[in-house]
Amino acid sequence: MPLAPVFAVVPARAGSKGLPGKNVTPLAGKPLYRHSIDAALAAGIREIHVTTDIPEILEARLPEGVTTHLRPPHLAADTTTMAEVLLDFLPRAGLTQGTLVLLQPTSPLRRPETIRAGLDLYAATGASMVMSVSPAERSVLKWGLLERDRFVPIARKEFCFANRQSLPPVVRPNGALYVYDAGTFLARGDYSAEDIRVLPIADDEAQDIDTAADLARCAALLGSTERQGT
């Protein structure tokens, strides 16, 4: 692990239109947010902070090393960005230095070894950020933005007319894991980073929960994994 202090942040707000009460909804016998806490602890992270506006979480008895923080209402809206949350939260919590591991509760299947791998990659490469990714359809490189009536390629213009098979591989951030320096983030005030390294993870770990169907799929995957381990 990096020499700098390492801490995890688990952001869990109450509002969810796709699945009301999502972050405290039970999954495999425990609320969704606890999966991220337990994965961080199993990965060896001993300082975990939960920023939330959910009374159930604020009042919960949590393992040693886990601290809950009340999130202001104006930072718990549908339109609030994660950058806005952290720019407010980190200074108030005294977390202005160190390696920040962001673990969103909506990715409950991420494994402790994946968190450790992300920290190891961050330490070994000197990257500005490490984030988990999943394979994506490369034909997206042929797409463009519509500016009035003009087509503006989102990537290189030569990709728009290339055969799909000749396009380079594409990956997408899946939201399961982000590792970066808290001080640099606060100084810049955003996620700008010159050197972002990627950590590919398996499809089952990359599951993101936003609806009841997503929750059921994750429950089935967890059940299958537990049966294989018996």
Side-chain angles (χ1 to χ4, degrees):
M1 285 191 178
L3 294 178
V6 176
F7 62 91
V9 174
V10 179
R13 72 181 184 92
S16 174
K17 293 182 178 178
L19 181 60
K22 174 173 59 180
N23 286 321
V24 292
T25 298
L27 173 66
K30 58 186 174 183
L32 196 63
Y33 75 94
R34 276 299 302 265
H35 289 268
S36 292
I37 290 174
D38 292 348
L41 290 171
I45 299 177
R46 293 293 172 255
E47 183 180 353
I48 302 167
H49 298 269
V50 183
T51 166
T52 184
D53 61 335
I54 303 175
E56 180 178 332
I57 298 178
L58 292 166
E59 298 166 5
R61 295 186 62 180
L62 297 172
E64 182 179 356
V66 182
T67 306
T68 58
H69 305 260
L70 176 62
R71 187 187 302 188
H74 71 280
L75 291 174
D78 289 341
T79 56
T80 304
T81 67
M82 187 54 58
E84 291 172 330
V85 171
L86 293 175
L87 286 170
D88 170 81
F89 167 70
L90 293 175
R92 285 195 297 107
L95 301 170
T96 58
Q97 300 294 327
T99 300
L100 190 165
V101 181
L102 181 63
L103 302 174
Q104 301 187 96
T106 49
S107 299
L109 304 191
R110 97 178 58 70
R111 300 183 176 96
E113 52 266 36
T114 294
I115 299 174
R116 289 194 294 267
L119 283 165
D120 289 343
L121 180 62
Y122 179 76
T125 61
S128 303
M129 176 186 289
V130 167
M131 66 181 180
S132 59
V133 298
S134 298
E137 175 50 58
R138 65 181 67 189
S139 62
V140 69
L141 294 175
K142 301 168 72 72
W143 296 7
L145 303 175
L146 189 60
E147 295 185 0
R148 296 185 180 178
D149 60 346
R150 294 180 62 246
F151 178 88
V152 180
I154 62 171
R156 301 175 190 172
K157 61 182 180 181
E158 60 265 28
F159 289 163
C160 297
F161 306 100
N163 293 330
R164 186 184 64 82
Q165 295 84 349
S166 67
L167 293 171
V170 174
V171 295
R172 61 172 180 82
N174 52 45
L177 177 69
Y178 296 91
V179 181
Y180 49 98
D181 181 71
T184 302
F185 170 77
L186 289 171
R188 293 184 174 179
D190 58 32
Y191 283 111
S192 59
E194 290 82 12
D195 183 10
I196 300 178
R197 302 298 176 99
V198 299
L199 182 69
I201 64 174
D203 287 343
D204 61 343
E205 282 194 90
Q207 297 295 316
D208 181 69
I209 294 180
D210 192 49
T211 66
D214 297 334
L215 186 71
R217 183 171 60 252
C218 286
L221 285 167
L222 276 175
S224 175
T225 301
E226 289 172 357
R227 285 193 297 271
Q228 291 174 9
T230 58

mmCIF file of all heavy atoms in Angstrom, residues 26-56:
data_model
loop_
_atom_site.group_PDB
_atom_site.id
_atom_site.type_symbol
_atom_site.label_atom_id
_atom_site.label_comp_id
_atom_site.label_asym_id
_atom_site.label_seq_id
_atom_site.Cartn_x
_atom_site.Cartn_y
_atom_site.Cartn_z
ATOM 1 N N PRO A 26 -31.607 -4.240 2.020
ATOM 2 C CA PRO A 26 -30.836 -5.456 2.305
ATOM 3 C C PRO A 26 -30.376 -6.170 1.035
ATOM 4 O O PRO A 26 -31.119 -6.277 0.060
ATOM 5 C CB PRO A 26 -31.831 -6.327 3.078
ATOM 6 C CG PRO A 26 -32.848 -5.378 3.608
ATOM 7 C CD PRO A 26 -32.965 -4.293 2.573
ATOM 8 N N LEU A 27 -29.155 -6.628 1.070
ATOM 9 C CA LEU A 27 -28.594 -7.457 0.013
ATOM 10 C C LEU A 27 -27.752 -8.533 0.683
ATOM 11 O O LEU A 27 -26.782 -8.230 1.378
ATOM 12 C CB LEU A 27 -27.728 -6.626 -0.942
ATOM 13 C CG LEU A 27 -26.963 -7.431 -1.999
ATOM 14 C CD1 LEU A 27 -27.934 -8.097 -2.976
ATOM 15 C CD2 LEU A 27 -25.974 -6.540 -2.756
ATOM 16 N N ALA A 28 -28.152 -9.777 0.501
ATOM 17 C CA ALA A 28 -27.451 -10.908 1.112
ATOM 18 C C ALA A 28 -27.306 -10.726 2.617
ATOM 19 O O ALA A 28 -26.245 -10.985 3.194
ATOM 20 C CB ALA A 28 -26.096 -11.110 0.456
ATOM 21 N N GLY A 29 -28.365 -10.244 3.257
ATOM 22 C CA GLY A 29 -28.387 -10.198 4.709
ATOM 23 C C GLY A 29 -27.845 -8.941 5.352
ATOM 24 O O GLY A 29 -27.812 -8.861 6.598
ATOM 25 N N LYS A 30 -27.419 -7.954 4.580
ATOM 26 C CA LYS A 30 -26.959 -6.701 5.183
ATOM 27 C C LYS A 30 -27.264 -5.540 4.245
ATOM 28 O O LYS A 30 -27.377 -5.731 3.028
ATOM 29 C CB LYS A 30 -25.472 -6.753 5.519
ATOM 30 C CG LYS A 30 -24.550 -7.045 4.341
ATOM 31 C CD LYS A 30 -23.116 -7.226 4.828
ATOM 32 C CE LYS A 30 -22.187 -7.663 3.706
ATOM 33 N NZ LYS A 30 -20.812 -7.907 4.184
ATOM 34 N N PRO A 31 -27.406 -4.329 4.806
ATOM 35 C CA PRO A 31 -27.751 -3.185 3.958
ATOM 36 C C PRO A 31 -26.667 -2.908 2.936
ATOM 37 O O PRO A 31 -25.478 -3.196 3.158
ATOM 38 C CB PRO A 31 -27.897 -2.031 4.955
ATOM 39 C CG PRO A 31 -27.185 -2.473 6.180
ATOM 40 C CD PRO A 31 -27.274 -3.961 6.218
ATOM 41 N N LEU A 32 -27.094 -2.332 1.845
ATOM 42 C CA LEU A 32 -26.202 -2.155 0.698
ATOM 43 C C LEU A 32 -24.897 -1.454 1.076
ATOM 44 O O LEU A 32 -23.808 -1.889 0.674
ATOM 45 C CB LEU A 32 -26.934 -1.362 -0.390
ATOM 46 C CG LEU A 32 -26.321 -1.386 -1.790
ATOM 47 C CD1 LEU A 32 -26.322 -2.795 -2.338
ATOM 48 C CD2 LEU A 32 -27.101 -0.452 -2.713
ATOM 49 N N TYR A 33 -24.978 -0.382 1.856
ATOM 50 C CA TYR A 33 -23.769 0.388 2.163
ATOM 51 C C TYR A 33 -22.744 -0.426 2.944
ATOM 52 O O TYR A 33 -21.531 -0.161 2.860
ATOM 53 C CB TYR A 33 -24.129 1.665 2.924
ATOM 54 C CG TYR A 33 -24.499 1.456 4.373
ATOM 55 C CD1 TYR A 33 -23.553 1.574 5.382
ATOM 56 C CD2 TYR A 33 -25.812 1.129 4.749
ATOM 57 C CE1 TYR A 33 -23.890 1.380 6.721
ATOM 58 C CE2 TYR A 33 -26.149 0.935 6.075
ATOM 59 C CZ TYR A 33 -25.188 1.052 7.055
ATOM 60 O OH TYR A 33 -25.517 0.852 8.370
ATOM 61 N N ARG A 34 -23.203 -1.432 3.708
ATOM 62 C CA ARG A 34 -22.274 -2.217 4.512
ATOM 63 C C ARG A 34 -21.333 -3.060 3.650
ATOM 64 O O ARG A 34 -20.221 -3.407 4.090
ATOM 65 C CB ARG A 34 -23.032 -3.132 5.473
ATOM 66 C CG ARG A 34 -23.467 -2.479 6.767
ATOM 67 C CD ARG A 34 -22.277 -1.977 7.585
ATOM 68 N NE ARG A 34 -21.314 -3.004 7.920
ATOM 69 C CZ ARG A 34 -21.289 -3.685 9.051
ATOM 70 N NH1 ARG A 34 -22.228 -3.453 9.969
ATOM 71 N NH2 ARG A 34 -20.356 -4.580 9.294
ATOM 72 N N HIS A 35 -21.744 -3.394 2.451
ATOM 73 C CA HIS A 35 -20.867 -4.171 1.574
ATOM 74 C C HIS A 35 -19.586 -3.395 1.262
ATOM 75 O O HIS A 35 -18.493 -3.970 1.212
ATOM 76 C CB HIS A 35 -21.598 -4.551 0.283
ATOM 77 C CG HIS A 35 -22.657 -5.592 0.491
ATOM 78 N ND1 HIS A 35 -22.418 -6.945 0.351
ATOM 79 C CD2 HIS A 35 -23.965 -5.472 0.843
ATOM 80 C CE1 HIS A 35 -23.529 -7.619 0.608
ATOM 81 N NE2 HIS A 35 -24.481 -6.744 0.904
ATOM 82 N N SER A 36 -19.712 -2.081 1.053
ATOM 83 C CA SER A 36 -18.531 -1.262 0.772
ATOM 84 C C SER A 36 -17.664 -1.117 2.010
ATOM 85 O O SER A 36 -16.424 -1.180 1.933
ATOM 86 C CB SER A 36 -18.954 0.119 0.253
ATOM 87 O OG SER A 36 -19.539 0.018 -1.025
ATOM 88 N N ILE A 37 -18.282 -0.925 3.164
ATOM 89 C CA ILE A 37 -17.532 -0.830 4.420
ATOM 90 C C ILE A 37 -16.761 -2.122 4.674
ATOM 91 O O ILE A 37 -15.563 -2.113 4.982
ATOM 92 C CB ILE A 37 -18.478 -0.529 5.595
ATOM 93 C CG1 ILE A 37 -19.014 0.902 5.494
ATOM 94 C CG2 ILE A 37 -17.771 -0.738 6.932
ATOM 95 C CD1 ILE A 37 -20.060 1.236 6.542
ATOM 96 N N ASP A 38 -17.440 -3.249 4.554
ATOM 97 C CA ASP A 38 -16.805 -4.538 4.847
ATOM 98 C C ASP A 38 -15.690 -4.853 3.858
ATOM 99 O O ASP A 38 -14.662 -5.439 4.230
ATOM 100 C CB ASP A 38 -17.855 -5.648 4.842
ATOM 101 C CG ASP A 38 -18.828 -5.529 6.001
ATOM 102 O OD1 ASP A 38 -18.568 -4.737 6.925
ATOM 103 O OD2 ASP A 38 -19.871 -6.214 5.978
ATOM 104 N N ALA A 39 -15.877 -4.460 2.582
ATOM 105 C CA ALA A 39 -14.823 -4.693 1.595
ATOM 106 C C ALA A 39 -13.592 -3.854 1.916
ATOM 107 O O ALA A 39 -12.450 -4.330 1.791
ATOM 108 C CB ALA A 39 -15.335 -4.355 0.194
ATOM 109 N N ALA A 40 -13.802 -2.616 2.349
ATOM 110 C CA ALA A 40 -12.673 -1.756 2.711
ATOM 111 C C ALA A 40 -11.917 -2.332 3.903
ATOM 112 O O ALA A 40 -10.674 -2.376 3.916
ATOM 113 C CB ALA A 40 -13.171 -0.346 3.018
ATOM 114 N N LEU A 41 -12.643 -2.773 4.924
ATOM 115 C CA LEU A 41 -12.004 -3.366 6.089
ATOM 116 C C LEU A 41 -11.223 -4.626 5.716
ATOM 117 O O LEU A 41 -10.095 -4.832 6.169
ATOM 118 C CB LEU A 41 -13.055 -3.693 7.155
ATOM 119 C CG LEU A 41 -13.699 -2.496 7.858
ATOM 120 C CD1 LEU A 41 -14.875 -2.952 8.714
ATOM 121 C CD2 LEU A 41 -12.668 -1.758 8.721
ATOM 122 N N ALA A 42 -11.827 -5.455 4.883
ATOM 123 C CA ALA A 42 -11.157 -6.692 4.461
ATOM 124 C C ALA A 42 -9.931 -6.405 3.603
ATOM 125 O O ALA A 42 -9.007 -7.225 3.545
ATOM 126 C CB ALA A 42 -12.142 -7.581 3.696
ATOM 127 N N ALA A 43 -9.915 -5.228 2.954
ATOM 128 C CA ALA A 43 -8.757 -4.841 2.143
ATOM 129 C C ALA A 43 -7.641 -4.242 2.983
ATOM 130 O O ALA A 43 -6.572 -3.921 2.467
ATOM 131 C CB ALA A 43 -9.190 -3.838 1.073
ATOM 132 N N GLY A 44 -7.889 -4.077 4.283
ATOM 133 C CA GLY A 44 -6.859 -3.552 5.171
ATOM 134 C C GLY A 44 -6.949 -2.069 5.446
ATOM 135 O O GLY A 44 -6.061 -1.504 6.089
ATOM 136 N N ILE A 45 -8.021 -1.418 4.990
ATOM 137 C CA ILE A 45 -8.200 0.015 5.258
ATOM 138 C C ILE A 45 -8.816 0.161 6.646
ATOM 139 O O ILE A 45 -9.874 -0.401 6.919
ATOM 140 C CB ILE A 45 -9.084 0.670 4.182
ATOM 141 C CG1 ILE A 45 -8.430 0.537 2.806
ATOM 142 C CG2 ILE A 45 -9.334 2.147 4.519
ATOM 143 C CD1 ILE A 45 -9.270 1.084 1.661
ATOM 144 N N ARG A 46 -8.170 0.902 7.487
ATOM 145 C CA ARG A 46 -8.609 1.005 8.887
ATOM 146 C C ARG A 46 -9.302 2.319 9.205
ATOM 147 O O ARG A 46 -9.721 2.546 10.333
ATOM 148 C CB ARG A 46 -7.402 0.811 9.816
ATOM 149 C CG ARG A 46 -6.841 -0.599 9.753
ATOM 150 C CD ARG A 46 -7.852 -1.598 10.336
ATOM 151 N NE ARG A 46 -7.455 -2.988 10.134
ATOM 152 C CZ ARG A 46 -8.010 -3.777 9.239
ATOM 153 N NH1 ARG A 46 -8.975 -3.317 8.444
ATOM 154 N NH2 ARG A 46 -7.625 -5.027 9.112
ATOM 155 N N GLU A 47 -9.400 3.207 8.230
ATOM 156 C CA GLU A 47 -10.097 4.485 8.438
ATOM 157 C C GLU A 47 -11.133 4.648 7.324
ATOM 158 O O GLU A 47 -10.786 4.798 6.161
ATOM 159 C CB GLU A 47 -9.124 5.659 8.434
ATOM 160 C CG GLU A 47 -9.792 6.993 8.730
ATOM 161 C CD GLU A 47 -8.811 8.163 8.728
ATOM 162 O OE1 GLU A 47 -7.590 7.914 8.619
ATOM 163 O OE2 GLU A 47 -9.268 9.314 8.824
ATOM 164 N N ILE A 48 -12.396 4.584 7.716
ATOM 165 C CA ILE A 48 -13.489 4.634 6.743
ATOM 166 C C ILE A 48 -14.487 5.687 7.185
ATOM 167 O O ILE A 48 -14.894 5.734 8.347
ATOM 168 C CB ILE A 48 -14.178 3.263 6.631
ATOM 169 C CG1 ILE A 48 -13.158 2.191 6.225
ATOM 170 C CG2 ILE A 48 -15.344 3.315 5.645
ATOM 171 C CD1 ILE A 48 -13.652 0.778 6.394
ATOM 172 N N HIS A 49 -14.879 6.544 6.257
ATOM 173 C CA HIS A 49 -15.813 7.626 6.553
ATOM 174 C C HIS A 49 -17.047 7.506 5.657
ATOM 175 O O HIS A 49 -16.916 7.358 4.440
ATOM 176 C CB HIS A 49 -15.141 8.981 6.323
ATOM 177 C CG HIS A 49 -13.956 9.204 7.213
ATOM 178 N ND1 HIS A 49 -14.056 9.821 8.443
ATOM 179 C CD2 HIS A 49 -12.643 8.868 7.049
ATOM 180 C CE1 HIS A 49 -12.854 9.867 8.995
ATOM 181 N NE2 HIS A 49 -11.980 9.305 8.180
ATOM 182 N N VAL A 50 -18.198 7.560 6.274
ATOM 183 C CA VAL A 50 -19.466 7.491 5.544
ATOM 184 C C VAL A 50 -20.125 8.863 5.615
ATOM 185 O O VAL A 50 -20.418 9.361 6.708
ATOM 186 C CB VAL A 50 -20.409 6.430 6.145
ATOM 187 C CG1 VAL A 50 -21.689 6.332 5.313
ATOM 188 C CG2 VAL A 50 -19.712 5.076 6.231
ATOM 189 N N THR A 51 -20.334 9.488 4.471
ATOM 190 C CA THR A 51 -21.033 10.761 4.422
ATOM 191 C C THR A 51 -22.462 10.491 3.959
ATOM 192 O O THR A 51 -22.684 9.937 2.879
ATOM 193 C CB THR A 51 -20.325 11.767 3.494
ATOM 194 O OG1 THR A 51 -21.220 12.875 3.233
ATOM 195 C CG2 THR A 51 -19.917 11.153 2.174
ATOM 196 N N THR A 52 -23.438 10.851 4.804
ATOM 197 C CA THR A 52 -24.810 10.431 4.540
ATOM 198 C C THR A 52 -25.826 11.366 5.182
ATOM 199 O O THR A 52 -25.518 12.082 6.146
ATOM 200 C CB THR A 52 -25.027 8.992 5.071
ATOM 201 O OG1 THR A 52 -26.338 8.553 4.725
ATOM 202 C CG2 THR A 52 -24.865 8.949 6.586
ATOM 203 N N ASP A 53 -27.027 11.342 4.651
ATOM 204 C CA ASP A 53 -28.162 12.037 5.262
ATOM 205 C C ASP A 53 -29.216 11.032 5.706
ATOM 206 O O ASP A 53 -30.371 11.386 5.937
ATOM 207 C CB ASP A 53 -28.767 13.040 4.278
ATOM 208 C CG ASP A 53 -29.292 12.373 3.004
ATOM 209 O OD1 ASP A 53 -28.801 11.275 2.660
ATOM 210 O OD2 ASP A 53 -30.189 12.944 2.350
ATOM 211 N N ILE A 54 -28.828 9.768 5.841
ATOM 212 C CA ILE A 54 -29.759 8.694 6.189
ATOM 213 C C ILE A 54 -29.686 8.420 7.691
ATOM 214 O O ILE A 54 -28.655 7.955 8.189
ATOM 215 C CB ILE A 54 -29.436 7.410 5.400
ATOM 216 C CG1 ILE A 54 -29.457 7.679 3.894
ATOM 217 C CG2 ILE A 54 -30.417 6.303 5.761
ATOM 218 C CD1 ILE A 54 -29.025 6.502 3.047
ATOM 219 N N PRO A 55 -30.763 8.692 8.446
ATOM 220 C CA PRO A 55 -30.742 8.475 9.902
ATOM 221 C C PRO A 55 -30.350 7.056 10.291
ATOM 222 O O PRO A 55 -29.627 6.854 11.279
ATOM 223 C CB PRO A 55 -32.172 8.807 10.326
ATOM 224 C CG PRO A 55 -32.668 9.767 9.285
ATOM 225 C CD PRO A 55 -32.029 9.306 8.006
ATOM 226 N N GLU A 56 -30.818 6.072 9.539
ATOM 227 C CA GLU A 56 -30.514 4.678 9.865
ATOM 228 C C GLU A 56 -29.009 4.415 9.878
ATOM 229 O O GLU A 56 -28.510 3.649 10.708
ATOM 230 C CB GLU A 56 -31.202 3.764 8.856
ATOM 231 C CG GLU A 56 -30.959 2.285 9.093
ATOM 232 C CD GLU A 56 -31.692 1.398 8.100
ATOM 233 O OE1 GLU A 56 -32.750 1.815 7.582
ATOM 234 O OE2 GLU A 56 -31.202 0.284 7.834
#
